[in-house]
Amino acid sequence: MDVFNPKILDASIRDVSSCLTDNQKADLLLYAMRSLHPEGPSRTIIENAVQSCLLISTLSPENTAKARILRARARLTAGSHFGVQDDLQAALVAEPDNPEAKALLHQRSVTVEKLLSPLPVRKERFSIEIWREIALYLPRHDLKALLFIPHTISRVASQILFRKLDLHFGGIDAEEGRNDVWMHHTGEVGFAKDEDARHAQRSADILTRIIVDPKFATAVRTLRIYAPIRDREGALAFQIGMLTNALPNLMNLRNVHISAGVEAIIPVLRVLQTCTPRLCGLSIESVILRVVISVGMLTPNFSSPDGPTDLQFEFKHLAHFSYCTSGGTANQVQAFLAQNRDFLRTVYIDNPNWVFPTNSVSIRNLTHFHFTGHVPLNNQLFADILANGRQMESLSLCCSLDGVTSQQFRATHRTYGPVLPFLRHFSFSITAVHRRVSDRDLFPAIAEFLRGRQQLRSLVLTAHDESVQRAVGFDAAVWGVLPSLVNLRNLKIAYPLDLSPGLASWLIPRTLLAFSLTLDHIPSSSRDPVPFLEQLRPGIPPTMRYIGLPDLLPLRNVSAVVGHGFPM
């Protein structure tokens, strides 16, 4: 017969089982249930089948143990831990030597012990390295707040926060208060003394920590020192003595900034030369003492005869050097620059009376250059920079001129083609021009030098008054280069006489985020600046985040600026 009826098999199983005893039927059922998966609907089938077997009064101990173990496995899969324990214990009562029941019960005991044991210490989700990368983006005031959090990031914040240390060997008089002459006339002498004492105590605590805790000292990368112009009461000598003991522990010190008078700079540099000869960066702000004489309502300032610091020291591996002072001659830093000629990458010189010593610096190695000073007749500073500054990324020049310099830009462009290919930040300001000098092609030549530079991110172009603008050719045509700077983000520029405010705002690149306008002369500005703002406002890019109008005076009501669209 070729046709097979599946129900014949079921009927045959039923016929065979009817011939078996109850124990034999239970044995057959338990054997068949081992082929079922104890999940889903099968669990109910197993529960019912095992319960039916256990109801047999003559069931053998072997089958009783098998039934209990089978149901224990099903319940273990379902997560019924108490039922598993009861079934395994009952299986051992029926058959004490059953190896399968013993193994499952032991496994169950280990699991329970793990559940009841104390929870292990939870590992941090982020490693210390990741927390450090996050903390590097936080400002200092946020890092100070993190110091009080009971977390790993507190230690990370401490390490980052103390990478830069400030030591104040004096109070307000040693820093920003040097120019605040009002303090000497408003009864604030007591406040200044309290500030001196607070700064002195804080600096002493920091230096003590550096001396007694070498691990803390190794975290310091940058040290900034602020000292008084004059050593009052001999306190500076004691503080420099502590600094002498602390500096040898600063094994990882790389950058030092000193803002002080000559009396304080010399001993500090002497200590640095002895203890840290391999500094990477040195910044010096030599503050000249000013004598204040009050006559009625007038308070004139007179510079003392003290000159800038004479740098007769050896630091032969500096990559970054900054020197800000007044008076003296550039010869005082010429030898210092020459000994670091092969290493310097950043140079910042700020002295309105100096001529930059180009022979002491390898311009081709520089990436950042800032010079505030004087350019005499026939000086080739601009030509040297343009011809040799192949790696220059930031160039800032603020000069007074004694001669014609536009040809340096034109000739270099004709000879070398596009120069300074990596330039991202450019600043050019003219503070004064000799009365016999007329270089009307200077700023047009600079405009051609800048035209089409897509890598440029920030730009400063200023000429300080109307006569200077006429002498150096700063007019509306200079603004015509702005639309070609398609990736510019920050701009500070002077406003020429022949430029319409309505046109000026539309010349500003649409990518600009910060804009500062120097307004030395605006028609009718002395009477009312609001009409000028009304014409300027429509073309301002909508993405602008900052607008600076520092010369918009007089302004009777600040709300007038806000009301006419500034800020947006």
Side-chain angles (χ1 to χ4, degrees):
M1 185 173 64
D2 297 333
V3 179
F4 173 75
N5 186 357
K7 293 187 177 180
I8 295 178
L9 183 60
D10 297 339
S12 299
I13 294 174
R14 185 174 62 253
D15 293 340
V16 170
S17 62
S18 63
C19 301
L20 302 177
T21 63
D22 290 341
N23 263 310
Q24 291 175 333
K25 291 178 181 179
D27 193 17
L28 178 63
L29 183 60
L30 294 173
Y31 178 79
M33 281 192 297
R34 288 182 179 274
S35 300
L36 300 179
H37 294 287
E39 297 176 358
S42 299
R43 180 171 173 248
T44 303
I45 296 174
I46 293 174
E47 287 277 354
N48 294 335
V50 169
Q51 186 62 29
S52 63
C53 291
L54 295 177
L55 291 177
I56 301 174
S57 58
T58 59
L59 189 65
S60 65
E62 181 183 359
N63 286 336
T64 300
K66 289 181 180 180
R68 292 283 187 178
I69 293 172
L70 189 61
R71 188 167 65 179
R73 288 185 179 278
R75 289 178 174 180
L76 184 63
T77 303
S80 181
H81 298 287
F82 293 104
V84 172
Q85 190 79 5
D86 295 339
D87 281 334
L88 292 177
Q89 289 177 352
L92 288 176
V93 170
E95 192 177 9
D97 297 329
N98 189 291
E100 190 176 2
K102 287 182 178 181
L104 288 174
L105 190 60
H106 175 73
Q107 180 182 354
R108 165 66 184 163
S109 300
V110 173
T111 303
V112 172
E113 287 179 2
K114 290 182 179 180
L115 292 174
L116 297 179
S117 63
L119 292 176
V121 178
R122 185 174 63 88
K123 295 182 179 180
E124 295 290 342
R125 294 182 61 186
F126 295 146
S127 64
I128 294 180
E129 290 76 13
I130 294 179
W131 282 121
R132 182 176 292 109
E133 291 297 323
I134 295 173
L136 286 174
Y137 289 91
L138 298 178
R140 290 183 67 85
H141 66 272
D142 287 340
L143 292 174
K144 292 178 182 179
L146 292 176
L147 294 178
F148 303 98
I149 297 177
H151 191 271
T152 303
I153 198 173
S154 175
R155 184 169 67 255
V156 173
S158 175
Q159 294 172 353
I160 296 177
L161 190 63
F162 292 110
R163 283 184 175 184
K164 180 187 292 184
L165 280 184
D166 291 351
L167 296 179
H168 301 256
F169 292 159
I172 293 180
D173 183 59
E175 302 172 66
E176 64 275 3
R178 290 189 176 107
N179 299 323
D180 294 339
V181 296
W182 59 268
M183 287 193 59
H184 302 280
H185 308 284
T186 57
E188 297 293 335
V189 177
F191 172 76
K193 289 183 177 180
D194 292 340
E195 283 294 297
D196 284 345
R198 185 176 69 85
H199 283 299
Q201 182 62 48
R202 173 185 174 276
S203 298
D205 292 341
I206 292 175
L207 290 174
T208 302
R209 176 75 182 278
I210 292 174
I211 293 172
V212 302
D213 188 353
K215 185 176 180 181
F216 170 80
T218 57
V220 180
R221 301 291 190 276
T222 300
L223 181 64
R224 300 192 299 184
I225 302 172
Y226 300 92
I229 302 173
R230 293 296 189 191
D231 185 7
R232 297 170 296 181
E233 302 176 358
L236 184 61
F238 171 75
Q239 292 166 326
I240 292 178
M242 291 191 66
L243 180 63
T244 304
N245 295 327
L247 280 176
N249 290 346
L250 300 177
M251 304 297 295
N252 296 320
L253 185 63
R254 293 294 178 266
N255 302 286
V256 174
H257 169 76
I258 307 172
S259 178
V262 177
E263 291 184 1
I265 291 177
I266 296 296
V268 172
L269 288 178
R270 188 177 294 115
V271 174
L272 288 172
Q273 178 184 239
T274 304
C275 301
T276 55
R278 296 185 65 86
L279 284 177
C280 293
L282 177 62
S283 173
I284 301 174
E285 182 181 0
S286 182
V287 182
I288 306 302
L289 178 65
R290 295 190 177 276
V291 181
V292 181
I293 302 177
S294 298
V295 183
M297 297 298 293
L298 300 178
T299 309
N301 292 341
F302 300 96
S303 296
S304 75
D306 292 348
T309 307
D310 194 3
L311 300 177
Q312 298 297 326
F313 301 94
E314 291 188 2
F315 295 92
K316 295 185 178 180
H317 302 280
L318 292 179
H320 314 283
F321 177 67
S322 173
Y323 193 30
C324 180
T325 185
S326 59
T329 64
N331 296 332
Q332 295 168 316
V333 297
Q334 189 168 354
F336 190 85
L337 291 172
Q339 69 183 1
N340 295 279
R341 178 186 178 93
D342 296 333
F343 302 96
L344 282 173
R345 297 295 180 268
T346 301
V347 173
Y348 185 106
I349 301 295
D350 189 339
N351 188 315
N353 304 314
W354 282 3
V355 177
F356 188 79
T358 54
N359 295 331
S360 301
V361 177
S362 177
I363 295 179
R364 67 180 58 193
N365 293 334
L366 297 182
T367 59
H368 296 75
F369 179 67
H370 173 96
F371 176 63
T372 298
H374 179 64
V375 179
L377 184 65
N378 298 325
N379 184 275
Q380 296 297 310
L381 173 63
F382 301 155
D384 290 341
I385 294 173
L386 296 176
N388 301 313
R390 292 287 301 174
Q391 301 185 56
M392 198 77 69
E393 297 178 13
S394 176
L395 176 60
S396 177
L397 300 168
C398 183
C399 308
S400 58
L401 302 178
D402 277 355
V404 176
T405 57
S406 59
Q407 287 302 318
Q408 298 183 35
F409 286 90
R410 297 288 190 187
T412 305
H413 185 74
R414 287 194 299 266
T415 304
Y416 299 98
V419 293
L420 309 187
F422 304 109
L423 191 65
R424 295 171 57 86
H425 310 282
F426 181 74
S427 174
F428 192 89
S429 301
I430 300 298
T431 57
V433 178
H434 193 277
R435 59 186 179 86
R436 296 183 179 178
V437 173
S438 179
D439 190 5
R440 296 181 180 274
D441 191 41
L442 177 57
F443 271 94
I446 294 174
E448 288 302 316
F449 159 74
L450 295 172
R451 190 175 303 277
R453 289 185 176 266
Q454 298 186 4
Q455 292 186 342
L456 200 65
R457 295 295 182 269
S458 66
L459 174 64
V460 177
L461 293 176
T462 59
H464 281 229
D465 55 44
E466 182 180 349
S467 61
V468 173
Q469 288 188 10
R470 284 199 301 266
V472 296
F474 192 96
D475 53 20
V478 176
W479 278 60
V481 74
L482 297 180
S484 69
L485 308 177
V486 294
N487 292 315
L488 199 65
R489 297 291 184 270
N490 304 289
L491 173 64
K492 180 180 180 181
I493 192 168
Y495 189 84
L497 273 172
D498 57 343
L499 181 61
S500 166
L503 174 62
S505 59
W506 290 105
L507 293 175
I508 298 172
R510 302 297 96 181
T511 58
L512 210 62
L513 300 178
F515 177 51
S516 181
L517 193 61
T518 59
L519 307 167
D520 295 318
H521 45 270
I522 301 176
S524 304
S525 64
S526 59
R527 295 187 296 273
D528 186 10
V530 171
F532 173 78
L533 296 179
E534 289 179 339
Q535 298 179 60
L536 187 68
R537 172 64 183 87
I540 295 296
T543 57
M544 192 81 71
R545 294 293 178 266
Y546 170 83
I547 297 178
L549 303 169
D551 302 318
L552 195 62
L553 294 174
L555 190 61
R556 298 178 181 178
N557 189 0
V558 178
S559 62
V561 178
V562 179
H564 288 82
F566 304 97
M568 291 177 286

